[in-house]
Amino acid sequence: MRTYYDIDLTGRSITRRELQGEEIVRAGRYLIAKTLLELGAATVDPLSPANPLIFSAGPFAGTSFSNANRTSVGCKSPLTGGIKEANGGGSFSYGLGQLTLHGALPDWVVLHFKKDGTLDFDDAAPYLGKGNFEAQEMLHRKYGKKVTIALCGPVGEYQGLLAGISFSDKDGRPARLSARGGVGAVMGSKKVKAIVVDLDKIPPFTDSKKVNAAIKDYAKMLLADSMVTNFYQKIGTMGMADLQNALGGLPVRNFSAGQQVDVASGEKFKMGGDHISQLNVSRGGEHTHACMPGCVIQCSNVYADASGKEVVSPVEYETLGLLGTNCGLSDSDDLAQMNFLANDLGVDTIELGATLAVLMEAGLGVFGDVKFMADCMAEIRRGSEQGRLWAQGTARVGAHYKVRRVPVIKKQAISAYDPRVVEATGITMMATAQGADHTAGNLPRLKTREMSAEQIVEQSLAHQARVAANDSLGLCIFGMSVTNPNTEFLVNAINAAHGTSLTKDFFEPLGQAALRLEYEFNRRAGFTEKDDELPEFFYSEPLPPTNHVARFHGPDVHGMYERLPA
């Protein structure tokens, strides 16, 4: 049993619903798409009170089931105008299951979910305008250490579209974000500064003994998996930088090159995961770190400076690619400082990095200029007229300055995989209702040059369904090398937890259903195959060193979701 909270902020009224069985299981991304469609959100103004903001946790949330405490946040995206589900790690789902915020408040509040089941609307005035780390510290002083927090940062307060929602990591940092699509701006539009949840006992399960056994067995399976032990634990997501630099698919200086360093000629790639992980460990940094309770994958990190002092947690590949090499940075210490500033603002480092690189392309700064980047973030923090413009994201900034090379799809910045080289991920980013989001179906190692559009679309669609299923169960996709081949084990654990009688055939149809709902949402919102097209420069500019150009267009990918079984 789980409690679902519907909160009408306008009237400060709370409706509680008790969920059972499959209602608890079909969560996350599926629940968000289904709910938003049912509420008619496809045609609303995304920054109006009519746009619901949904928080959803999976069926194992509140336990130490590894990588199962992701929090999905969903709404109509003010960045893209389409549907958005952005999920983040941390401990928030460990404390709260399902929540939808309707309407908006006239004055800023902190929502405090208390152990006794009551909810307080507390004055948020003391926290407004503060950086996330200061605000988080103040909230802990007021509410204690045994709480988990979802936080709207200073950019979200003025509805800047760079803004995500920051969740407490397992150590209390506001460092895990549902980052993309402007979900933080929607939280800001509702004048909810923070959601504070008292941490209490784990939720009840139908057969706790079987669930506990499954938790242990799943951890053993993950620790026996080579992808987990040799990649995620050893180097973390930043290891993808070494691969993409070698393949020529790394974003460099506003997607004008696909490789920063020619390692084959003997140059050292100092922005690669191999180099950074060794450097960080030598300084006493923590390079095997769990972002959420119970996770044994531990792909996160705590980056330390030369004196051994913590700078930021975590440095991840997408940040390295967009806020790093894409902005011309070549030193991991510079990257870590920019990463910390972005975390303090509570913004999406992908969208921020792409925006800053477009500003550099427009001639406002020079690639590699850390001071320029910090100054831009200071303007964004202040919310000056210029800062508010820049906080609207890559597409709008590029249009304002009439920049030709603006790397976006559906007005959202492209992730750190150049679609001219990483074609399967590019097709996913073109087609997905989520905007240019690699997490919708990332296939960075698939060799596609001899494949047709039809063949790549087939691979992309199958992978997107598996990803959407994981996102709908609150599972981090970094466990997919174990969860996807072991759906019978996963479903048996779900049945033990919630008294359901699901079979292994439940898994992929759940993901397919989520994709169909998202496609329908965007159709109702007015999206067509024209919105699946890449920016023109990807077709006309060969990307060094491969000199590839994009091969596929909107009509090649748009109809893929119509192939999904009913």
Side-chain angles (χ1 to χ4, degrees), residues 3 32 85 92 111 115 159 169 189 200 206 219 249 268 295 335 355 365 372 447 466 517 528 546 555 561:
T3 301
I32 283 166
E85 181 270 350
F92 192 73
L111 299 179
K115 284 183 183 179
Q159 298 167 39
D169 73 2
S189 74
D200 198 7
T206 302
K268 191 169 188 64
C295 183
L335 171 67
T355 299
F372 170 75
K447 296 178 180 179
R466 292 188 289 268
L517 292 166
T528 69
T546 62
Y561 303 110

Side-chain angles (χ1 to χ4, degrees), residues 252-274:
V252 178
R253 295 182 300 280
N254 193 32
F255 286 82
S256 65
Q259 186 179 76
Q260 187 177 58
V261 167
D262 182 6
V263 177
S265 69
E267 293 183 78
K268 191 169 188 64
F269 183 36
K270 294 184 179 180
M271 292 291 278
D274 281 334

